[in-house]
Amino acid sequence: MTNKKRVAQATPESLHQIFTIPEAPDSTLGRIEAEISQNLNGFLGNHIVATEKPLAEIEKDFADSKIPEQPQYVSDHTHHLLDKLISQSVHTSSPSFIGHMTSALPYFQLPLSKLMTGMNQNLVKIETSKAFTPLERQVLGMMHRMVYQQADGFYQKLMHSAAHSLGAFCSGGTVANITALWVARNNLLKADGVFKGIAQQGLFQALKHYGYAGIAILVSERGHYSLKKAADILGLGRDSVISIKTDNNNRIDTQALAQECARLEAQKIKVMSIVGVAGTTETGNIDPLRDMADIAKRFNCHFHVDAAWGGATLLSNKYRTLLDGIELADSVTIDAHKQMYVPMGAGLVVFKDSESVSTIEHHAEYILRKGSKDLGSHTLEGSRPGMAMMLYASMHIISRPGYEMLINQSIEKAKHFAELIEQDDDFELISKPELCLLTYRYAPQAVQQFLANANAERQEEINVLLDKLTKFIQKRQRENGKSFVSRTRIEVNHYQGRKVLVFRVVLANPLTTHDILQEVLVEQKQIAAESLNFLPQILARVN
Ligand SMILES: *Cc1c(COP(=O)(O)O)cnc(C)c1O
């Protein structure tokens, strides 16, 4: 063969080839895979967080809206991807990437995800998934047991029963929350006499039938925005999600919650669901779930717990008591793609009552026939991949004690980082870690002292400047590419509930060391010193 550049062509033969798995080990597939693995290893082994290239520049590489007329060889296209896409992606697996809830993956997820993609099973129905359906039911049983701790007999009876559903597997916490509230809504406004139920007749008829002036969902002000999406989609409107204030530890004020329930009841507005958060997205705190369950019982409403992020803590015997009362919830959301270290696209909701999903049951003629074990009759999504396999594999390979080590390590690392921040005069710890998440900001001691004694007006003036400084530091640190923390705005009670911009850190990567944490602070101090705008302004005002 000569060196001349071959040109790919779309022919019946070449298309046939694309769908034929090559057999020889030195085949095209083998070569491409070797190259991808090498590049991926390089990517994953890279301890920087991102290379510095402005987004506007990257957009130029993705500017063509035409579907190509000329096919490309797979190897050529792979190089294109490595060059334009992979090289400009974020190293979420870097130990100094400590800003988000999705982090590094255990290595075995790579070959297993290839297996899953290759098999391309569709979990919507048995006909396209066979053994994957019992596997997913088992995974849901395991997660149900992690939360509700029922006896063997319970799971033997219900796990594989066509008439029962211990939960629903889905793409993430958002869909899990929507599913939970969908079930809550349809059970509240179920068929009754001549009324055929909200699923059949809609919200308008349902309210008329039941005589409610409105419907509400109650959650703390730290609730995840997916709950508002759910309210929107379920026809209740975002305003029906009512925020309840939190205490100094970002936990819902249960007295305010009970008062709000009573106020709504007096107005004939039915509380459809109270939602507890077990690990808030911004601060990682856990609501007093047992007390919330009592209130839900008193007002006869659904109790949902959004444990998308914190749910995995139940795997730790040492820390699972932090989620005390979760077993009283009617439904619980857990994301496997957060603290269970499964690739993205793995969320689930479990239900205490395995019959509660009957009100969202949906049947069609050619699939999802009545009495079938098709998972699709109780899920929001239709076609769905076999992600449950990844969670199944992780739970077997890592095992519960292995997960416990990971969870405990993360929490203890966050406590260590909190100590570093508290010992350092230049930083202010804003929320203490209950799980492995904390928030803080850069504020030299003189500034902190000034704030402690200043009146509201002077406080505000300084806080506005500090917000700018926090944003500057976070952005510059991200651009430098050595490490990454995220930023968010949270109400801080000792600043009169003002929303303060803070750094947010999630310590889920087992490879993040104490040294790395120290370096993050050192870099932030350096960046602050370089901020010729904000820091001098702040210091001038407090001195
Ligand atoms: C992440 C998260 C969600 C949303 O989950 P996705 O998987 O991103 O859809 C919902 N609630 C909480 C508390 C979360 O942390």
Side-chain angles (χ1 to χ4, degrees):
M1 210 165 70
T2 62
N3 264 345
K4 88 171 163 60
K5 183 87 184 134
R6 295 176 309 148
V7 179
Q9 282 185 333
T11 62
E13 292 75 27
S14 68
L15 293 179
H16 186 269
Q17 253 178 24
I18 288 181
F19 286 91
T20 312
I21 305 291
E23 273 169 29
D26 62 342
S27 65
T28 325
L29 179 65
R31 271 189 291 113
I32 292 171
E33 280 192 341
E35 197 174 343
I36 289 180
S37 293
Q38 209 179 11
N39 272 281
L40 189 58
N41 288 347
F43 183 85
L44 296 178
N46 204 330
H47 282 207
I48 61 156
V49 164
T51 48
E52 195 180 349
K53 186 170 179 184
L55 204 54
E57 279 300 303
I58 296 172
E59 281 169 357
K60 289 180 189 156
D61 289 329
F62 299 94
D64 195 352
S65 58
K66 293 191 295 295
I67 296 172
E69 286 297 323
Q70 174 65 47
Q72 254 184 330
Y73 282 114
V74 178
S75 52
D76 291 348
H77 186 68
T78 304
H79 285 144
H80 166 78
L81 290 176
L82 291 172
D83 184 32
K84 301 292 185 204
L85 181 71
I86 313 305
S87 69
Q88 299 303 324
S89 300
V90 178
H91 294 72
T92 54
S93 58
S94 161
S96 54
F97 180 92
I98 52 172
H100 283 300
M101 288 177 161
T102 35
S103 84
L105 295 173
Y107 85 90
F108 61 80
Q109 292 288 352
L110 294 175
L112 292 181
S113 57
K114 179 178 164 184
L115 187 60
M116 189 200 76
T117 304
M119 307 261 314
N120 204 27
Q121 304 289 293
N122 185 351
L123 273 286
V124 74
K125 53 186 190 279
I126 297 262
E127 285 173 20
T128 52
S129 63
K130 198 82 179 277
F132 270 71
T133 290
L135 172 136
E136 187 168 296
R137 284 179 174 273
Q138 183 190 346
V139 166
L140 289 167
M142 291 162 96
M143 300 307 285
H144 188 283
R145 190 168 189 153
M146 178 175 89
V147 173
Y148 295 109
Q149 300 187 295
Q150 297 294 308
D152 280 335
F154 176 90
Y155 296 99
Q156 273 158 21
K157 190 169 135 219
L158 301 177
M159 209 154 69
H160 295 288
S161 155
H164 297 263
S165 215
L166 296 175
F169 206 94
C170 56
S171 64
T174 300
V175 175
N177 281 340
I178 293 172
T179 306
L181 293 175
W182 183 21
V183 166
R185 188 197 69 164
N186 287 16
N187 278 308
L188 174 68
L189 304 171
K190 59 178 177 280
D192 173 41
V194 291
F195 177 58
K196 287 186 281 185
I198 185 169
Q200 203 60 36
Q201 290 190 264
L203 185 61
F204 186 66
Q205 296 293 336
L207 291 183
K208 239 172 48 178
H209 175 81
Y210 281 99
Y212 295 136
I215 292 211
I217 297 165
L218 271 51
V219 65
S220 93
E221 57 197 359
R222 296 269 176 275
H224 191 265
Y225 62 86
S226 57
L227 298 169
K228 288 206 166 142
K229 279 192 196 172
D232 176 356
I233 293 173
L234 292 172
L236 309 174
R238 292 179 200 164
D239 285 353
S240 69
V241 179
I242 297 178
S243 293
I244 307 296
K245 68 175 183 196
T246 48
D247 64 15
N248 289 337
N249 290 315
N250 301 293
R251 298 179 194 132
I252 196 166
D253 179 333
T254 47
Q255 210 176 344
L257 174 66
Q259 273 165 9
E260 185 63 13
C261 287
R263 190 186 71 82
L264 292 165
E265 196 173 61
Q267 294 181 18
K268 284 199 169 353
I269 295 174
K270 176 66 193 169
V271 177
M272 179 182 101
S273 182
I274 290 176
V275 180
V277 192
T280 72
T281 313
E282 286 154 312
T283 62
N285 294 105
I286 301 155
D287 279 336
L289 304 177
R290 188 169 291 281
D291 295 346
M292 294 181 82
D294 275 349
I295 296 172
K297 201 166 165 197
R298 179 141 47 102
F299 290 92
N300 191 24
C301 65
H302 185 99
F303 179 38
H304 176 62
V305 172
D306 182 359
W309 181 68
T313 312
L314 295 169
L315 293 160
S316 162
N317 290 342
K318 183 169 176 190
Y319 289 110
R320 75 167 282 145
T321 48
L322 289 174
L323 276 68
D324 174 60
I326 195 169
E327 69 282 1
L328 302 170
D330 296 298
S331 53
V332 176
T333 286
I334 296 170
D335 255 341
H337 63 217
K338 288 179 179 162
Q339 292 198 79
M340 291 190 80
Y341 302 95
V342 167
M344 245 172 298
L348 57 96
V349 54
V350 286
F351 297 102
K352 183 157 78 182
D353 173 2
S354 61
E355 286 179 41
S356 60
V357 293
S358 64
T359 51
I360 62 163
E361 199 167 283
H362 200 93
H363 296 285
E365 266 317 311
Y366 68 106
I367 54 161
L368 320 180
R369 293 179 197 95
K370 282 199 173 150
S372 80
K373 295 193 174 183
D374 295 343
L375 291 159
S377 53
H378 297 117
T379 55
L380 175 59
E381 292 163 302
S383 296
R384 214 159 43 72
M387 286 302 294
M389 183 187 97
M390 317 302 276
L391 179 52
Y392 177 89
S394 245
M395 287 195 288
H396 283 85
I397 294 171
I398 294 176
S399 80
R400 197 217 41 89
Y403 270 119
E404 163 144 25
M405 269 181 222
L406 291 169
I407 301 280
N408 294 0
Q409 247 181 38
S410 297
I411 294 177
E412 279 141 32
K413 210 180 291 172
K415 288 189 175 148
H416 171 79
F417 193 40
E419 278 164 23
L420 287 184
I421 292 166
E422 284 193 311
Q423 283 160 14
D424 195 318
D425 287 344
D426 284 342
F427 291 98
E428 180 184 12
L429 187 67
I430 301 286
S431 65
K432 280 204 170 98
E434 193 171 2
L435 299 177
C436 66
L437 205 167
L438 60 86
T439 63
Y440 68 105
R441 67 177 176 175
Y442 177 85
Q445 196 174 31
V447 180
Q448 291 185 49
Q449 270 165 5
F450 179 86
L451 281 170
N453 301 313
N455 63 25
E457 202 179 324
R458 300 301 310 275
Q459 260 189 6
E460 179 62 19
E461 195 187 343
I462 298 298
N463 273 326
V464 167
L465 288 169
L466 278 174
D467 283 354
K468 290 183 179 164
L469 181 61
T470 305
K471 184 172 170 186
F472 173 83
I473 296 172
Q474 192 269 349
K475 217 169 144 230
R476 178 63 62 87
Q477 190 164 27
R478 187 189 69 202
E479 285 163 6
N480 286 351
K482 275 195 304 204
S483 53
F484 173 79
V485 304
S486 57
R487 64 168 198 260
T488 187
R489 228 173 239 290
I490 54 171
E491 296 94 347
V492 178
N493 284 355
H494 61 266
Y495 297 130
Q496 286 86 44
R498 180 187 190 279
K499 281 205 162 192
V500 171
L501 201 66
V502 294
F503 304 128
R504 168 177 170 272
V505 161
V506 188
L507 290 166
N509 188 330
L511 303 184
T512 305
T513 60
H514 287 186
D515 284 348
I516 290 176
L517 297 176
Q518 188 73 64
E519 283 161 23
V520 166
L521 296 182
V522 169
E523 191 186 6
Q524 289 179 330
K525 276 195 224 190
Q526 269 164 7
I527 298 172
E530 290 160 14
S531 99
L532 298 177
N533 241 334
F534 308 120
L535 190 55
Q537 273 188 50
I538 295 169
L539 293 175
R541 276 179 170 74
V542 304
N543 283 326

